[in-house]
Amino acid sequence: MAKRSNRFWFKLHGWFSLPVWIIFCFVCLTGTISVISHELTWLTNPDARASNPQNLAEKPMSELVEIVQQAHPTANITTVMSFESYLVNAVIFNDSDAPFAIAYVNQYTGQIQAINLGMTFTNFMRSLHGWLLFPWHVNYSVGYYIVCFMAIVMLGALISGLVIYKKFWRSFIQPKLRFNQGKKTLLADLHRLAGVWSMWFLMLMSITGLWYLTQAIMWHNHIDLEPHAPLIEASQVPTSANDAPIRPYTLSNALQVAEQKFPGFKSTYIMLPEHNRDTYKVYGQGDHIFYDQYAYGVTVNPWSGTIESERSPVAMTTLQTLSHIADPLHYGTIGGLWTKVIWFIFGIFLTGMSITGFLMWGSRTVKAARTDQDDPLAMHNLQLVEQEGN
């Protein structure tokens, strides 16, 4: 009975991965690259580097907007984003000859180092990893659901693997890699050792992946996690007989409001008003390392300077909190570059596990399954595989 049960878990472990092996491996690989996509951008694109040899202070985003507006007077600037301190800020705009453009502005020198008219490497990798570049239909993408489904596969493989690999904790105190007993033994040792040492990472990726799946279902059913930014009452907007009225409160004022509201606030994402009833949307980071770069923020009325709405971790619901801590935990940004490196290493482990698992399955189980089930030699091989997990 025990052997039959073990065989069941072994087959279940294989079927959690084998049918979707290529997608699973691809998602793991693209996710691993995505973790360090900013760093790869810094290495490969000199225009994206925020060099600061004179140790200048960082300019506020409002000043960067003015610099781009002066260089491109007809541009309609919509968004400003900041990333790591060693990467330039991105000022996004559209113009008569550019429906979508990103100005790479050095936040220390104020120099526009490049104008990007296409997709960035980071966006490409995140999109490839997040939804396999499947198109979005209104509020859902088939690719997004496929990727999210990998969380169930990963969790099932983890649980069934632990059931098969009894006394797995020995790999922590007595790690075993046998190089002189053949390819199959080495693959099995690599697979089990990486699996045991990556248990925390597998669990973390599974949980955050399940959250992304939950989030997708809510999107699909028009359940909003965050309230929409309020519109300004039409009566508050001054009228002008000739030109459009000039907003008395600028982006610089809105940034000051956010900084006064949240001590230690660092702006990371800003949206400028799209029309007269729209607001400045200023989002950023605070002193909670587990929250993403949009966890703090205010919307500021450009006509009165008042705060129309605000967000911060202390006022979030449970679902809002989950949505703001999922990305830092999934991409390892909670501790900056060092945690990214850790996430990258374990991402390699995870990708390698999917490959070694497939090779083990292909060379042992699949071949055994294709032979006559009554073949004593095949059954003997299968039993040997199961025993290796004990």
Side-chain angles (χ1 to χ4, degrees):
M1 182 64 71
K3 288 183 178 179
R4 184 176 301 173
S5 175
N6 205 35
R7 186 180 305 167
F8 164 77
W9 284 103
F10 182 81
K11 289 183 177 179
L12 182 64
H13 183 70
W15 281 107
F16 263 121
S17 330
L18 187 63
V20 293
W21 173 79
I22 293 179
I23 299 176
F24 184 74
C25 183
F26 186 78
V27 170
C28 292
L29 178 62
T30 53
T32 302
I33 297 173
S34 295
V35 167
I36 58 166
S37 58
H38 283 167
E39 287 66 33
L40 291 175
T41 299
W42 185 90
L43 283 172
T44 58
N45 187 356
D47 290 333
R49 299 173 190 167
S51 302
N52 188 18
Q54 298 180 343
N55 200 25
L56 300 172
E58 185 174 343
K59 298 179 184 298
M61 285 184 168
S62 54
E63 191 171 336
L64 304 184
V65 169
E66 292 173 2
I67 291 170
V68 175
Q69 195 71 74
Q70 290 174 1
H72 301 270
T74 58
N76 175 35
I77 298 175
T78 59
T79 309
V80 188
M81 300 176 69
S82 70
F83 311 96
E84 284 80 358
S85 58
Y86 41 85
L87 289 176
V88 295
N89 283 17
V91 179
I92 301 172
F93 65 94
N94 56 72
D95 208 339
S96 56
D97 58 347
F100 179 82
I102 305 174
Y104 289 177
V105 188
N106 188 315
Q107 62 270 32
Y108 306 109
T109 64
Q111 180 188 2
I112 300 175
Q113 299 184 173
I115 300 294
N116 186 348
L117 299 178
M119 180 178 279
T120 65
F121 174 73
T122 298
N123 284 342
F124 173 75
M125 288 309 306
R126 295 287 177 98
S127 301
L128 194 61
H129 172 66
W131 53 87
L132 307 175
L133 290 179
F134 271 67
W136 283 77
H137 299 281
V138 186
N139 57 354
Y140 81 97
S141 164
V142 173
Y144 192 94
Y145 276 101
I146 292 174
V147 174
C148 291
F149 178 72
M150 295 301 111
I152 299 174
V153 171
M154 192 181 302
L155 188 61
L158 172 61
I159 295 173
S160 56
L162 291 178
V163 173
I164 294 168
Y165 190 14
K166 296 179 174 59
K167 300 179 182 178
F168 61 86
W169 56 86
R170 288 179 177 174
S171 289
F172 289 119
I173 54 178
Q174 296 175 335
K176 183 171 59 177
L177 274 179
R178 292 167 289 182
F179 293 95
N180 56 355
Q181 296 187 22
K183 177 183 173 183
K184 294 180 180 178
T185 302
L186 179 59
L187 283 175
D189 286 350
L190 282 171
H191 189 77
R192 286 197 292 261
L193 190 62
V196 171
W197 281 85
S198 303
M199 279 195 303
W200 69 273
F201 190 73
L202 285 161
M203 186 62 71
L204 189 60
M205 294 300 107
S206 300
I207 293 173
T208 51
L210 288 175
W211 163 250
Y212 291 139
L213 177 60
T214 305
Q215 191 172 252
I217 294 172
M218 287 191 288
W219 283 342
H220 203 162
N221 289 279
H222 305 283
I223 300 174
D224 293 323
L225 288 173
E226 306 273 2
H228 292 281
L231 287 176
I232 299 169
E233 293 293 335
S235 58
Q236 295 184 33
V237 180
T239 57
S240 175
N242 300 316
D243 300 328
I246 298 176
R247 301 181 181 94
Y249 291 90
T250 64
L251 175 58
S252 178
N253 299 133
L255 284 167
Q256 291 174 2
V257 169
E259 290 166 359
Q260 290 171 0
K261 183 68 182 177
F262 306 114
F265 177 82
K266 183 182 185 308
S267 56
T268 58
Y269 187 87
I270 288 175
M271 296 178 68
L272 279 70
E274 295 181 353
H275 47 79
N276 285 342
R277 293 185 61 193
D278 202 1
T279 56
Y280 293 109
K281 302 174 184 64
V282 181
Y283 301 112
Q285 294 173 313
D287 52 359
H288 286 71
I289 63 171
F290 289 103
Y291 287 80
D292 64 14
Q293 64 270 38
Y294 315 111
Y296 293 82
V298 292
T299 60
V300 179
N301 189 320
W303 306 105
S304 65
T306 56
I307 296 176
E308 296 293 328
S309 64
E310 62 180 73
R311 83 165 56 142
S312 69
V314 295
M316 289 180 181
T317 65
T318 300
L319 293 180
Q320 289 170 347
T321 298
L322 288 173
S323 71
H324 284 283
I325 65 174
D327 275 2
L329 293 175
H330 194 77
Y331 289 102
T333 57
I334 53 177
L337 183 59
W338 289 110
T339 50
K340 283 186 180 183
V341 171
I342 295 173
W343 261 242
F344 175 73
I345 292 172
F346 279 91
I348 293 176
F349 285 172
L350 196 55
T351 306
M353 284 173 58
S354 68
I355 296 173
T356 55
F358 176 77
L359 292 175
M360 290 166 60
W361 184 275
S363 63
R364 296 172 176 173
T365 307
V366 172
K367 288 181 181 178
R370 286 177 178 175
T371 58
D372 188 349
Q373 294 294 324
D374 295 328
D375 186 342
L377 180 59
M379 294 302 294
H380 177 66
N381 288 339
L382 182 58
Q383 290 174 359
L384 286 177
V385 171
E386 294 168 352
Q387 289 169 6
E388 285 186 10
N390 297 330

